[in-house]
Amino acid sequence: MNRAIYPGSFDPVTNGHLDIIKRSAELFDELYVGVLNNTSKSPLFSVEERVNMLKEATAEIRNIKVVSFQGLLVDFVKEIDASVVVRGLRAITDFEYELQLAQTNHVLYPSVDTMFLTAKLEYSYLSSTIVREVASFGGDISKFVPDEVAKRMYEKYGIEDKNN
Ligand code: ADP
């Protein structure tokens, strides 16, 4: 079985993440989407909320498992017996950090390789940080995230959802 993992914070999941998820699910028998439970960061959404939003947004993709994990990525990769880590590359600014991460993971666990998918042009500017910023000021995020996610973001910020 050809198993991969797409790890990230997904705080929240964006249309850019979903594009990477759909494309990589076609390349592997099974794709784990691993939501990092990072206790040192204070995310907008709890890890359970992030997992639930991802589950909802990917409900139609049959070979996907959305799970949370904490600690070292390579330990989780070993635990689920995956052989590939999928990451997305938006621009040259992503490259340096992603290369370092991929090489570190490969040294820590030589059986794992990282595969990069380039962001679709229409999402290459998109990040969870920017979406949070726009939503916090009540801006329109309907082109950035699924409707359910937008709704929950406005709720978090105590802002009336203009689409409803
Ligand atoms: P992290 O906090 O680990 O960077 P993110 O959830 O922000 O986690 O991103 C997870 C992965 O998805 C990273 O490889 C990132 O480069 C990629 N990614 C983020 N936004 C996009 C996007 N708009 N298009 C394609 N890939 C993206």
Side-chain angles (χ1 to χ4, degrees), residues 5-40:
I5 174 166
Y6 177 39
S9 306
F10 306 107
D11 187 33
V13 59
T14 68
N15 292 338
H17 293 131
L18 289 171
D19 177 56
I20 299 285
I21 290 173
K22 283 177 197 146
R23 284 158 60 202
S24 40
E26 303 215 339
L27 299 173
F28 299 96
D29 298 323
E30 191 169 50
L31 179 73
Y32 274 69
V33 179
V35 181
L36 181 62
N37 187 2
N38 187 344
T39 41
S40 67

PDB file of all heavy atoms in Angstrom, residues 5-40:
ATOM      1  N   ILE A   5       1.425  11.160   3.726  1.00  0.00           N
ATOM      2  CA  ILE A   5       0.827  12.062   4.713  1.00  0.00           C
ATOM      3  C   ILE A   5       1.052  13.507   4.295  1.00  0.00           C
ATOM      4  O   ILE A   5       2.143  13.875   3.860  1.00  0.00           O
ATOM      5  CB  ILE A   5       1.363  11.823   6.147  1.00  0.00           C
ATOM      6  CG1 ILE A   5       0.791  12.904   7.092  1.00  0.00           C
ATOM      7  CG2 ILE A   5       2.884  11.814   6.219  1.00  0.00           C
ATOM      8  CD1 ILE A   5       0.939  12.621   8.548  1.00  0.00           C
ATOM      9  N   TYR A   6       0.002  14.292   4.397  1.00  0.00           N
ATOM     10  CA  TYR A   6       0.087  15.733   4.155  1.00  0.00           C
ATOM     11  C   TYR A   6      -0.092  16.413   5.521  1.00  0.00           C
ATOM     12  O   TYR A   6      -1.210  16.494   6.031  1.00  0.00           O
ATOM     13  CB  TYR A   6      -1.011  16.144   3.179  1.00  0.00           C
ATOM     14  CG  TYR A   6      -1.086  17.630   2.876  1.00  0.00           C
ATOM     15  CD1 TYR A   6       0.045  18.416   2.715  1.00  0.00           C
ATOM     16  CD2 TYR A   6      -2.320  18.255   2.714  1.00  0.00           C
ATOM     17  CE1 TYR A   6      -0.037  19.770   2.420  1.00  0.00           C
ATOM     18  CE2 TYR A   6      -2.417  19.606   2.408  1.00  0.00           C
ATOM     19  CZ  TYR A   6      -1.272  20.356   2.268  1.00  0.00           C
ATOM     20  OH  TYR A   6      -1.360  21.694   1.968  1.00  0.00           O
ATOM     21  N   PRO A   7       1.016  16.845   6.128  1.00  0.00           N
ATOM     22  CA  PRO A   7       0.910  17.449   7.462  1.00  0.00           C
ATOM     23  C   PRO A   7       0.820  18.971   7.383  1.00  0.00           C
ATOM     24  O   PRO A   7       1.310  19.579   6.437  1.00  0.00           O
ATOM     25  CB  PRO A   7       2.249  17.053   8.098  1.00  0.00           C
ATOM     26  CG  PRO A   7       3.209  17.028   6.944  1.00  0.00           C
ATOM     27  CD  PRO A   7       2.424  16.713   5.695  1.00  0.00           C
ATOM     28  N   GLY A   8       0.215  19.565   8.402  1.00  0.00           N
ATOM     29  CA  GLY A   8       0.163  21.026   8.446  1.00  0.00           C
ATOM     30  C   GLY A   8      -0.600  21.492   9.664  1.00  0.00           C
ATOM     31  O   GLY A   8      -1.108  20.673  10.447  1.00  0.00           O
ATOM     32  N   SER A   9      -0.687  22.796   9.795  1.00  0.00           N
ATOM     33  CA  SER A   9      -1.447  23.363  10.911  1.00  0.00           C
ATOM     34  C   SER A   9      -2.924  23.493  10.545  1.00  0.00           C
ATOM     35  O   SER A   9      -3.794  23.348  11.402  1.00  0.00           O
ATOM     36  CB  SER A   9      -0.912  24.748  11.281  1.00  0.00           C
ATOM     37  OG  SER A   9       0.460  24.693  11.520  1.00  0.00           O
ATOM     38  N   PHE A  10      -3.194  23.831   9.293  1.00  0.00           N
ATOM     39  CA  PHE A  10      -4.567  23.950   8.796  1.00  0.00           C
ATOM     40  C   PHE A  10      -5.439  24.790   9.740  1.00  0.00           C
ATOM     41  O   PHE A  10      -6.511  24.372  10.149  1.00  0.00           O
ATOM     42  CB  PHE A  10      -5.196  22.562   8.579  1.00  0.00           C
ATOM     43  CG  PHE A  10      -4.384  21.664   7.690  1.00  0.00           C
ATOM     44  CD1 PHE A  10      -3.668  20.588   8.218  1.00  0.00           C
ATOM     45  CD2 PHE A  10      -4.296  21.900   6.326  1.00  0.00           C
ATOM     46  CE1 PHE A  10      -2.888  19.765   7.401  1.00  0.00           C
ATOM     47  CE2 PHE A  10      -3.518  21.076   5.506  1.00  0.00           C
ATOM     48  CZ  PHE A  10      -2.824  20.010   6.041  1.00  0.00           C
ATOM     49  N   ASP A  11      -4.971  25.992  10.036  1.00  0.00           N
ATOM     50  CA  ASP A  11      -5.674  26.857  11.008  1.00  0.00           C
ATOM     51  C   ASP A  11      -6.186  28.124  10.329  1.00  0.00           C
ATOM     52  O   ASP A  11      -5.667  29.203  10.623  1.00  0.00           O
ATOM     53  CB  ASP A  11      -4.705  27.196  12.157  1.00  0.00           C
ATOM     54  CG  ASP A  11      -5.409  27.949  13.289  1.00  0.00           C
ATOM     55  OD1 ASP A  11      -6.597  27.688  13.520  1.00  0.00           O
ATOM     56  OD2 ASP A  11      -4.767  28.797  13.929  1.00  0.00           O
ATOM     57  N   PRO A  12      -7.178  28.060   9.477  1.00  0.00           N
ATOM     58  CA  PRO A  12      -7.975  26.900   9.080  1.00  0.00           C
ATOM     59  C   PRO A  12      -7.532  26.377   7.721  1.00  0.00           C
ATOM     60  O   PRO A  12      -6.670  26.964   7.079  1.00  0.00           O
ATOM     61  CB  PRO A  12      -9.373  27.531   8.933  1.00  0.00           C
ATOM     62  CG  PRO A  12      -9.075  28.860   8.294  1.00  0.00           C
ATOM     63  CD  PRO A  12      -7.755  29.303   8.903  1.00  0.00           C
ATOM     64  N   VAL A  13      -8.195  25.272   7.311  1.00  0.00           N
ATOM     65  CA  VAL A  13      -7.953  24.732   5.967  1.00  0.00           C
ATOM     66  C   VAL A  13      -8.428  25.763   4.942  1.00  0.00           C
ATOM     67  O   VAL A  13      -9.453  26.415   5.116  1.00  0.00           O
ATOM     68  CB  VAL A  13      -8.688  23.377   5.782  1.00  0.00           C
ATOM     69  CG1 VAL A  13     -10.194  23.500   5.972  1.00  0.00           C
ATOM     70  CG2 VAL A  13      -8.384  22.778   4.415  1.00  0.00           C
ATOM     71  N   THR A  14      -7.628  25.953   3.874  1.00  0.00           N
ATOM     72  CA  THR A  14      -7.982  26.908   2.811  1.00  0.00           C
ATOM     73  C   THR A  14      -8.220  26.134   1.502  1.00  0.00           C
ATOM     74  O   THR A  14      -7.906  24.940   1.408  1.00  0.00           O
ATOM     75  CB  THR A  14      -6.842  27.909   2.549  1.00  0.00           C
ATOM     76  OG1 THR A  14      -5.730  27.195   1.974  1.00  0.00           O
ATOM     77  CG2 THR A  14      -6.402  28.622   3.817  1.00  0.00           C
ATOM     78  N   ASN A  15      -8.711  26.858   0.503  1.00  0.00           N
ATOM     79  CA  ASN A  15      -8.904  26.220  -0.808  1.00  0.00           C
ATOM     80  C   ASN A  15      -7.571  25.769  -1.404  1.00  0.00           C
ATOM     81  O   ASN A  15      -7.528  24.833  -2.195  1.00  0.00           O
ATOM     82  CB  ASN A  15      -9.616  27.178  -1.767  1.00  0.00           C
ATOM     83  CG  ASN A  15     -11.049  27.413  -1.336  1.00  0.00           C
ATOM     84  OD1 ASN A  15     -11.634  26.602  -0.611  1.00  0.00           O
ATOM     85  ND2 ASN A  15     -11.630  28.529  -1.760  1.00  0.00           N
ATOM     86  N   GLY A  16      -6.490  26.431  -1.017  1.00  0.00           N
ATOM     87  CA  GLY A  16      -5.156  26.028  -1.483  1.00  0.00           C
ATOM     88  C   GLY A  16      -4.772  24.667  -0.916  1.00  0.00           C
ATOM     89  O   GLY A  16      -4.297  23.780  -1.631  1.00  0.00           O
ATOM     90  N   HIS A  17      -4.996  24.474   0.395  1.00  0.00           N
ATOM     91  CA  HIS A  17      -4.744  23.161   1.010  1.00  0.00           C
ATOM     92  C   HIS A  17      -5.605  22.093   0.331  1.00  0.00           C
ATOM     93  O   HIS A  17      -5.133  20.988   0.042  1.00  0.00           O
ATOM     94  CB  HIS A  17      -5.128  23.155   2.496  1.00  0.00           C
ATOM     95  CG  HIS A  17      -4.297  24.022   3.384  1.00  0.00           C
ATOM     96  ND1 HIS A  17      -4.845  24.905   4.283  1.00  0.00           N
ATOM     97  CD2 HIS A  17      -2.953  24.135   3.536  1.00  0.00           C
ATOM     98  CE1 HIS A  17      -3.884  25.511   4.957  1.00  0.00           C
ATOM     99  NE2 HIS A  17      -2.725  25.073   4.519  1.00  0.00           N
ATOM    100  N   LEU A  18      -6.888  22.440   0.104  1.00  0.00           N
ATOM    101  CA  LEU A  18      -7.812  21.434  -0.450  1.00  0.00           C
ATOM    102  C   LEU A  18      -7.392  21.010  -1.850  1.00  0.00           C
ATOM    103  O   LEU A  18      -7.546  19.843  -2.220  1.00  0.00           O
ATOM    104  CB  LEU A  18      -9.253  21.975  -0.452  1.00  0.00           C
ATOM    105  CG  LEU A  18      -9.866  22.075   0.942  1.00  0.00           C
ATOM    106  CD1 LEU A  18     -11.196  22.818   0.898  1.00  0.00           C
ATOM    107  CD2 LEU A  18     -10.069  20.680   1.553  1.00  0.00           C
ATOM    108  N   ASP A  19      -6.839  21.947  -2.597  1.00  0.00           N
ATOM    109  CA  ASP A  19      -6.352  21.595  -3.933  1.00  0.00           C
ATOM    110  C   ASP A  19      -5.190  20.596  -3.839  1.00  0.00           C
ATOM    111  O   ASP A  19      -5.150  19.603  -4.571  1.00  0.00           O
ATOM    112  CB  ASP A  19      -5.921  22.878  -4.656  1.00  0.00           C
ATOM    113  CG  ASP A  19      -5.348  22.561  -6.021  1.00  0.00           C
ATOM    114  OD1 ASP A  19      -6.046  21.922  -6.826  1.00  0.00           O
ATOM    115  OD2 ASP A  19      -4.182  22.933  -6.277  1.00  0.00           O
ATOM    116  N   ILE A  20      -4.278  20.839  -2.903  1.00  0.00           N
ATOM    117  CA  ILE A  20      -3.147  19.908  -2.716  1.00  0.00           C
ATOM    118  C   ILE A  20      -3.675  18.536  -2.260  1.00  0.00           C
ATOM    119  O   ILE A  20      -3.218  17.486  -2.726  1.00  0.00           O
ATOM    120  CB  ILE A  20      -2.138  20.459  -1.665  1.00  0.00           C
ATOM    121  CG1 ILE A  20      -1.541  21.801  -2.120  1.00  0.00           C
ATOM    122  CG2 ILE A  20      -1.052  19.432  -1.336  1.00  0.00           C
ATOM    123  CD1 ILE A  20      -0.503  21.728  -3.203  1.00  0.00           C
ATOM    124  N   ILE A  21      -4.661  18.552  -1.377  1.00  0.00           N
ATOM    125  CA  ILE A  21      -5.235  17.292  -0.867  1.00  0.00           C
ATOM    126  C   ILE A  21      -5.857  16.483  -2.009  1.00  0.00           C
ATOM    127  O   ILE A  21      -5.583  15.291  -2.170  1.00  0.00           O
ATOM    128  CB  ILE A  21      -6.287  17.572   0.240  1.00  0.00           C
ATOM    129  CG1 ILE A  21      -5.592  18.093   1.495  1.00  0.00           C
ATOM    130  CG2 ILE A  21      -7.121  16.328   0.545  1.00  0.00           C
ATOM    131  CD1 ILE A  21      -6.528  18.555   2.606  1.00  0.00           C
ATOM    132  N   LYS A  22      -6.677  17.159  -2.832  1.00  0.00           N
ATOM    133  CA  LYS A  22      -7.345  16.438  -3.937  1.00  0.00           C
ATOM    134  C   LYS A  22      -6.333  15.879  -4.916  1.00  0.00           C
ATOM    135  O   LYS A  22      -6.440  14.729  -5.356  1.00  0.00           O
ATOM    136  CB  LYS A  22      -8.295  17.386  -4.684  1.00  0.00           C
ATOM    137  CG  LYS A  22      -9.578  17.614  -3.924  1.00  0.00           C
ATOM    138  CD  LYS A  22     -10.482  18.614  -4.623  1.00  0.00           C
ATOM    139  CE  LYS A  22     -11.522  19.112  -3.621  1.00  0.00           C
ATOM    140  NZ  LYS A  22     -11.908  20.494  -3.819  1.00  0.00           N
ATOM    141  N   ARG A  23      -5.338  16.677  -5.247  1.00  0.00           N
ATOM    142  CA  ARG A  23      -4.358  16.206  -6.229  1.00  0.00           C
ATOM    143  C   ARG A  23      -3.505  15.074  -5.658  1.00  0.00           C
ATOM    144  O   ARG A  23      -3.205  14.100  -6.360  1.00  0.00           O
ATOM    145  CB  ARG A  23      -3.488  17.370  -6.685  1.00  0.00           C
ATOM    146  CG  ARG A  23      -4.245  18.287  -7.661  1.00  0.00           C
ATOM    147  CD  ARG A  23      -3.659  19.677  -7.714  1.00  0.00           C
ATOM    148  NE  ARG A  23      -2.279  19.696  -8.142  1.00  0.00           N
ATOM    149  CZ  ARG A  23      -1.427  20.711  -7.870  1.00  0.00           C
ATOM    150  NH1 ARG A  23      -1.820  21.764  -7.180  1.00  0.00           N
ATOM    151  NH2 ARG A  23      -0.201  20.662  -8.298  1.00  0.00           N
ATOM    152  N   SER A  24      -3.120  15.166  -4.390  1.00  0.00           N
ATOM    153  CA  SER A  24      -2.268  14.086  -3.873  1.00  0.00           C
ATOM    154  C   SER A  24      -3.063  12.819  -3.581  1.00  0.00           C
ATOM    155  O   SER A  24      -2.512  11.716  -3.666  1.00  0.00           O
ATOM    156  CB  SER A  24      -1.407  14.519  -2.690  1.00  0.00           C
ATOM    157  OG  SER A  24      -2.095  15.332  -1.832  1.00  0.00           O
ATOM    158  N   ALA A  25      -4.350  12.958  -3.279  1.00  0.00           N
ATOM    159  CA  ALA A  25      -5.173  11.751  -3.056  1.00  0.00           C
ATOM    160  C   ALA A  25      -5.233  10.898  -4.324  1.00  0.00           C
ATOM    161  O   ALA A  25      -5.426   9.686  -4.260  1.00  0.00           O
ATOM    162  CB  ALA A  25      -6.574  12.140  -2.613  1.00  0.00           C
ATOM    163  N   GLU A  26      -5.055  11.530  -5.478  1.00  0.00           N
ATOM    164  CA  GLU A  26      -5.070  10.766  -6.738  1.00  0.00           C
ATOM    165  C   GLU A  26      -3.747  10.046  -6.987  1.00  0.00           C
ATOM    166  O   GLU A  26      -3.673   9.140  -7.807  1.00  0.00           O
ATOM    167  CB  GLU A  26      -5.340  11.703  -7.911  1.00  0.00           C
ATOM    168  CG  GLU A  26      -6.641  12.434  -7.716  1.00  0.00           C
ATOM    169  CD  GLU A  26      -7.403  12.683  -8.993  1.00  0.00           C
ATOM    170  OE1 GLU A  26      -6.780  12.652 -10.055  1.00  0.00           O
ATOM    171  OE2 GLU A  26      -8.624  12.903  -8.877  1.00  0.00           O
ATOM    172  N   LEU A  27      -2.730  10.460  -6.281  1.00  0.00           N
ATOM    173  CA  LEU A  27      -1.399   9.884  -6.536  1.00  0.00           C
ATOM    174  C   LEU A  27      -1.069   8.708  -5.618  1.00  0.00           C
ATOM    175  O   LEU A  27      -0.127   7.970  -5.873  1.00  0.00           O
ATOM    176  CB  LEU A  27      -0.321  10.957  -6.355  1.00  0.00           C
ATOM    177  CG  LEU A  27      -0.404  12.177  -7.287  1.00  0.00           C
ATOM    178  CD1 LEU A  27       0.614  13.231  -6.872  1.00  0.00           C
ATOM    179  CD2 LEU A  27      -0.152  11.751  -8.727  1.00  0.00           C
ATOM    180  N   PHE A  28      -1.817   8.600  -4.516  1.00  0.00           N
ATOM    181  CA  PHE A  28      -1.501   7.553  -3.525  1.00  0.00           C
ATOM    182  C   PHE A  28      -2.731   6.706  -3.236  1.00  0.00           C
ATOM    183  O   PHE A  28      -3.857   7.149  -3.420  1.00  0.00           O
ATOM    184  CB  PHE A  28      -0.993   8.199  -2.222  1.00  0.00           C
ATOM    185  CG  PHE A  28       0.265   8.999  -2.425  1.00  0.00           C
ATOM    186  CD1 PHE A  28       0.210  10.371  -2.630  1.00  0.00           C
ATOM    187  CD2 PHE A  28       1.505   8.372  -2.461  1.00  0.00           C
ATOM    188  CE1 PHE A  28       1.368  11.111  -2.853  1.00  0.00           C
ATOM    189  CE2 PHE A  28       2.668   9.097  -2.682  1.00  0.00           C
ATOM    190  CZ  PHE A  28       2.598  10.474  -2.874  1.00  0.00           C
ATOM    191  N   ASP A  29      -2.483   5.475  -2.743  1.00  0.00           N
ATOM    192  CA  ASP A  29      -3.611   4.614  -2.363  1.00  0.00           C
ATOM    193  C   ASP A  29      -4.341   5.219  -1.173  1.00  0.00           C
ATOM    194  O   ASP A  29      -5.561   5.177  -1.085  1.00  0.00           O
ATOM    195  CB  ASP A  29      -3.112   3.217  -1.958  1.00  0.00           C
ATOM    196  CG  ASP A  29      -2.423   2.525  -3.106  1.00  0.00           C
ATOM    197  OD1 ASP A  29      -2.879   2.700  -4.246  1.00  0.00           O
ATOM    198  OD2 ASP A  29      -1.404   1.831  -2.866  1.00  0.00           O
ATOM    199  N   GLU A  30      -3.547   5.751  -0.242  1.00  0.00           N
ATOM    200  CA  GLU A  30      -4.150   6.311   0.964  1.00  0.00           C
ATOM    201  C   GLU A  30      -3.417   7.592   1.356  1.00  0.00           C
ATOM    202  O   GLU A  30      -2.186   7.621   1.362  1.00  0.00           O
ATOM    203  CB  GLU A  30      -4.060   5.301   2.104  1.00  0.00           C
ATOM    204  CG  GLU A  30      -4.892   5.681   3.301  1.00  0.00           C
ATOM    205  CD  GLU A  30      -4.992   4.524   4.282  1.00  0.00           C
ATOM    206  OE1 GLU A  30      -3.948   3.937   4.643  1.00  0.00           O
ATOM    207  OE2 GLU A  30      -6.109   4.212   4.692  1.00  0.00           O
ATOM    208  N   LEU A  31      -4.187   8.624   1.647  1.00  0.00           N
ATOM    209  CA  LEU A  31      -3.582   9.893   2.070  1.00  0.00           C
ATOM    210  C   LEU A  31      -4.071  10.247   3.475  1.00  0.00           C
ATOM    211  O   LEU A  31      -5.275  10.379   3.712  1.00  0.00           O
ATOM    212  CB  LEU A  31      -3.963  11.022   1.102  1.00  0.00           C
ATOM    213  CG  LEU A  31      -3.403  12.396   1.478  1.00  0.00           C
ATOM    214  CD1 LEU A  31      -1.893  12.456   1.214  1.00  0.00           C
ATOM    215  CD2 LEU A  31      -4.106  13.519   0.720  1.00  0.00           C
ATOM    216  N   TYR A  32      -3.109  10.374   4.384  1.00  0.00           N
ATOM    217  CA  TYR A  32      -3.434  10.891   5.713  1.00  0.00           C
ATOM    218  C   TYR A  32      -3.254  12.404   5.674  1.00  0.00           C
ATOM    219  O   TYR A  32      -2.245  12.889   5.149  1.00  0.00           O
ATOM    220  CB  TYR A  32      -2.460  10.336   6.764  1.00  0.00           C
ATOM    221  CG  TYR A  32      -2.841   8.999   7.331  1.00  0.00           C
ATOM    222  CD1 TYR A  32      -2.783   7.854   6.548  1.00  0.00           C
ATOM    223  CD2 TYR A  32      -3.231   8.878   8.665  1.00  0.00           C
ATOM    224  CE1 TYR A  32      -3.125   6.617   7.075  1.00  0.00           C
ATOM    225  CE2 TYR A  32      -3.572   7.639   9.195  1.00  0.00           C
ATOM    226  CZ  TYR A  32      -3.516   6.524   8.393  1.00  0.00           C
ATOM    227  OH  TYR A  32      -3.850   5.300   8.915  1.00  0.00           O
ATOM    228  N   VAL A  33      -4.229  13.115   6.203  1.00  0.00           N
ATOM    229  CA  VAL A  33      -4.045  14.553   6.396  1.00  0.00           C
ATOM    230  C   VAL A  33      -3.785  14.709   7.888  1.00  0.00           C
ATOM    231  O   VAL A  33      -4.641  14.385   8.714  1.00  0.00           O
ATOM    232  CB  VAL A  33      -5.292  15.351   5.947  1.00  0.00           C
ATOM    233  CG1 VAL A  33      -5.081  16.837   6.191  1.00  0.00           C
ATOM    234  CG2 VAL A  33      -5.590  15.082   4.477  1.00  0.00           C
ATOM    235  N   GLY A  34      -2.574  15.118   8.237  1.00  0.00           N
ATOM    236  CA  GLY A  34      -2.160  15.162   9.642  1.00  0.00           C
ATOM    237  C   GLY A  34      -2.212  16.593  10.177  1.00  0.00           C
ATOM    238  O   GLY A  34      -1.500  17.472   9.712  1.00  0.00           O
ATOM    239  N   VAL A  35      -3.084  16.792  11.154  1.00  0.00           N
ATOM    240  CA  VAL A  35      -3.247  18.131  11.731  1.00  0.00           C
ATOM    241  C   VAL A  35      -2.357  18.236  12.962  1.00  0.00           C
ATOM    242  O   VAL A  35      -2.539  17.492  13.934  1.00  0.00           O
ATOM    243  CB  VAL A  35      -4.721  18.379  12.108  1.00  0.00           C
ATOM    244  CG1 VAL A  35      -4.886  19.781  12.676  1.00  0.00           C
ATOM    245  CG2 VAL A  35      -5.620  18.171  10.904  1.00  0.00           C
ATOM    246  N   LEU A  36      -1.422  19.143  12.892  1.00  0.00           N
ATOM    247  CA  LEU A  36      -0.443  19.259  13.968  1.00  0.00           C
ATOM    248  C   LEU A  36      -1.049  19.888  15.215  1.00  0.00           C
ATOM    249  O   LEU A  36      -1.590  21.003  15.177  1.00  0.00           O
ATOM    250  CB  LEU A  36       0.761  20.092  13.496  1.00  0.00           C
ATOM    251  CG  LEU A  36       1.881  20.271  14.516  1.00  0.00           C
ATOM    252  CD1 LEU A  36       2.498  18.928  14.893  1.00  0.00           C
ATOM    253  CD2 LEU A  36       2.949  21.201  13.966  1.00  0.00           C
ATOM    254  N   ASN A  37      -0.949  19.156  16.310  1.00  0.00           N
ATOM    255  CA  ASN A  37      -1.414  19.656  17.597  1.00  0.00           C
ATOM    256  C   ASN A  37      -0.201  20.243  18.307  1.00  0.00           C
ATOM    257  O   ASN A  37       0.483  19.557  19.052  1.00  0.00           O
ATOM    258  CB  ASN A  37      -2.020  18.486  18.383  1.00  0.00           C
ATOM    259  CG  ASN A  37      -2.674  18.929  19.663  1.00  0.00           C
ATOM    260  OD1 ASN A  37      -2.714  20.121  19.965  1.00  0.00           O
ATOM    261  ND2 ASN A  37      -3.180  17.981  20.426  1.00  0.00           N
ATOM    262  N   ASN A  38       0.061  21.494  17.994  1.00  0.00           N
ATOM    263  CA  ASN A  38       1.273  22.138  18.501  1.00  0.00           C
ATOM    264  C   ASN A  38       0.944  22.948  19.756  1.00  0.00           C
ATOM    265  O   ASN A  38       0.344  24.019  19.677  1.00  0.00           O
ATOM    266  CB  ASN A  38       1.836  23.055  17.404  1.00  0.00           C
ATOM    267  CG  ASN A  38       3.175  23.636  17.795  1.00  0.00           C
ATOM    268  OD1 ASN A  38       3.555  23.605  18.955  1.00  0.00           O
ATOM    269  ND2 ASN A  38       3.881  24.175  16.819  1.00  0.00           N
ATOM    270  N   THR A  39       1.364  22.418  20.895  1.00  0.00           N
ATOM    271  CA  THR A  39       0.957  23.044  22.149  1.00  0.00           C
ATOM    272  C   THR A  39       1.665  24.392  22.394  1.00  0.00           C
ATOM    273  O   THR A  39       1.210  25.192  23.195  1.00  0.00           O
ATOM    274  CB  THR A  39       1.226  22.096  23.339  1.00  0.00           C
ATOM    275  OG1 THR A  39       2.495  21.477  23.116  1.00  0.00           O
ATOM    276  CG2 THR A  39       0.145  21.038  23.449  1.00  0.00           C
ATOM    277  N   SER A  40       2.757  24.644  21.666  1.00  0.00           N
ATOM    278  CA  SER A  40       3.461  25.910  21.916  1.00  0.00           C
ATOM    279  C   SER A  40       2.850  27.076  21.130  1.00  0.00           C
ATOM    280  O   SER A  40       3.103  28.228  21.414  1.00  0.00           O
ATOM    281  CB  SER A  40       4.947  25.773  21.591  1.00  0.00           C
ATOM    282  OG  SER A  40       5.116  25.576  20.220  1.00  0.00           O
TER     283      SER A  40
END
